[in-house]
Amino acid sequence: MRLNTAIGDRLSVADRPTNILCGLMQLAAEMEVDCDGWFAGTRLQPAEISNPDTRMSYRQASTVIRRALHALPVEGLGLVLGDRQNLGNFGLLGLAMKTAPDFGEAVRIGMAYQRNSGALMDMSLTERDTDCLAAVATAPDEACDLLPFLCEELFSSVLKLIHELVGPEFRPLRLELGYPAPPYAQRYLDLFGCEVRFGQPQHAMVIERCWLELPFASYNPVTSNQVLTLCRMQLDAQPACGETTAALENHLRMRLRDNPQMAEMAAELHLSERTLRRQLAEEGTSFSAVHDRVRTNHAMELLRDPKLSILAIGGQLGFNDAREFRRAFKRWTGRAPSEARRSSG
């Protein structure tokens, strides 16, 4: 799908999984804090956050996080959130890293597919000297007020992941952070077990190069290749789109059986039909294109289940007649549903 420049800057492109928001919501539930108000005006719904197909923009994520920081009475919220992570929270990416031949390859996989984890900072690996490497994290300038939270969440979750990959004996050589030391700076020392420098020119976790050579007993070349293929598919599965398009997709996924029309969806998004049409056009798409894409993706998922008849699949997509569904599917994909089923089996 083509994205028009009228969408605005990259902060409004809905291309990120909702992992961090999901973690904040779970923490809020445990603390009995109502988080529904965090999403007001964002076009994100709390019920959508745990859906793996939901994508959010950086602007949406930042808005929710700022409200969460205000609402949750937790000092060092990012440290708390990151320290709750485990291999399972990284999904396919965590499994791909676990089945790599060694820690060095696991790090390269993590860098290549980091967007799959829903991270809000971009990481790159840089040389420091002959013995050290630095995992450097960056964020947009517009998120400067969130840097303590973002760095805390990223580096503490990375530390938990590394501990599951190589063992609890791993310690970074040094943690460098570009903001002043907070009042709870001692908690950084306790958690990371290494020197922590604040007020630095970069945000980075520095590690000794020798760790990269550590072999993994869990290496399995077949599983590794399979999971890497799934990681690539996951990265490509959701094309970048604007916030209005992403919101429409989320709402359509929940209403496909009802075959909702544009006027209904506009009302659910609190827009006029004319405004919805205009905003979709600015994002390079249309209601029918989005509707067809969501129905196509769901149809392909359902066709993998041999127990479901073509009639039943069509019914879940809002078609009352199997022939009508077959014609629509052929128009969307150029193939009959039965052909698509055979090729996916």
Side-chain angles (χ1 to χ4, degrees):
M1 181 186 69
R2 177 180 58 87
L3 277 177
N4 287 350
T5 54
I7 288 179
D9 60 51
R10 58 195 172 95
L11 301 182
S12 296
V13 177
D15 60 351
R16 296 171 187 268
T18 56
N19 303 45
I20 289 181
L21 300 194
C22 191
L24 286 169
M25 291 177 65
Q26 289 177 323
L27 189 59
E30 293 171 15
M31 300 179 67
E32 299 183 344
V33 172
D34 182 10
C35 60
D36 286 359
W38 299 355
F39 298 89
T42 65
R43 293 188 182 161
L44 290 171
Q45 299 295 322
E48 301 167 352
I49 300 304
S50 60
N51 188 325
D53 292 326
T54 300
R55 291 296 181 270
M56 62 184 179
S57 70
Y58 210 102
R59 185 193 67 82
Q60 290 170 319
S62 299
T63 298
V64 174
I65 290 170
R66 288 186 179 100
R67 293 168 178 172
L69 286 168
H70 179 75
L72 294 174
V74 179
E75 189 176 59
L77 179 58
L79 295 177
V80 172
L81 194 63
D83 195 41
R84 290 159 57 97
Q85 305 302 304
N86 56 48
L87 191 68
N89 294 108
F90 287 82
L92 288 172
L93 177 58
L95 182 57
M97 296 175 73
K98 183 72 172 179
T99 55
D102 52 50
F103 183 52
E105 182 60 23
V107 170
R108 284 186 282 274
I109 291 171
M111 295 293 178
Y113 298 103
Q114 58 185 286
R115 187 60 62 87
N116 289 6
S117 72
L120 294 176
M121 299 188 81
D122 295 323
M123 296 192 77
S124 59
L125 207 60
T126 63
E127 303 277 347
R128 278 298 173 89
D129 55 44
T130 56
D131 298 322
C132 301
L133 293 168
V136 178
T138 57
D141 291 341
E142 290 82 355
C144 60
D145 61 312
L146 297 178
L147 282 176
F149 169 82
L150 295 178
C151 286
E152 289 173 1
E153 191 280 333
L154 176 66
F155 289 124
S156 57
S157 62
V158 166
L159 181 67
K160 287 299 292 286
L161 175 61
I162 296 175
H163 281 168
E164 292 209 32
L165 293 174
V166 307
E169 65 274 12
F170 172 85
R171 288 291 181 273
L173 187 64
R174 185 171 63 253
L175 191 66
E176 300 173 354
L177 299 164
Y179 48 87
Y184 52 90
Q186 181 60 42
R187 293 183 58 189
Y188 284 77
L189 299 173
D190 296 339
L191 179 61
F192 291 97
C194 67
E195 179 188 5
V196 180
R197 298 178 183 176
F198 293 95
Q200 300 299 298
Q202 289 183 319
H203 317 292
M205 178 183 285
V206 182
I207 67 172
E208 293 173 290
R209 186 185 297 274
C210 60
W211 283 106
L212 300 182
E213 301 172 3
L214 184 70
F216 284 175
S218 54
Y219 173 52
N220 183 311
V222 175
T223 303
S224 180
N225 288 330
Q226 289 174 336
V227 180
L228 282 174
T229 298
L230 292 174
C231 283
R232 285 190 288 270
M233 292 172 61
Q234 188 179 62
L235 193 63
D236 298 336
Q238 293 286 341
C241 62
E243 292 175 355
T244 301
T245 301
L248 177 59
E249 288 181 349
N250 292 337
H251 282 259
L252 282 170
R253 275 193 289 268
M254 295 185 287
R255 293 275 311 276
L256 283 180
R257 188 185 292 272
D258 303 327
N259 192 25
Q261 302 303 301
M262 186 172 183
E264 299 172 71
M265 289 293 94
E268 288 197 16
L269 293 170
H270 306 291
L271 299 171
S272 68
E273 189 172 350
R274 179 179 179 180
T275 300
L276 176 58
R277 183 181 293 108
R278 175 179 57 79
Q279 291 185 0
L280 292 173
E282 290 174 350
E283 294 179 5
T285 190
S286 66
F287 177 82
S288 61
V290 176
H291 195 188
D292 287 351
R293 182 170 66 252
V294 173
R295 288 190 291 186
T296 301
N297 291 341
H298 193 46
M300 294 301 294
E301 292 175 9
L302 296 174
L303 285 167
R304 296 189 182 98
D305 185 350
K307 298 176 183 177
L308 287 176
S309 67
I310 299 300
L311 177 61
I313 293 172
Q316 292 196 38
L317 298 173
F319 294 93
N320 296 320
D321 182 272
R323 288 175 298 181
E324 184 183 358
F325 168 60
R326 289 190 183 96
R327 284 195 296 268
F329 189 88
K330 184 74 176 290
R331 174 167 50 83
W332 302 335
T333 68
R335 297 184 294 174
S338 56
E339 294 178 65
R341 168 169 273 169
R342 284 194 298 270
S343 65
S344 65

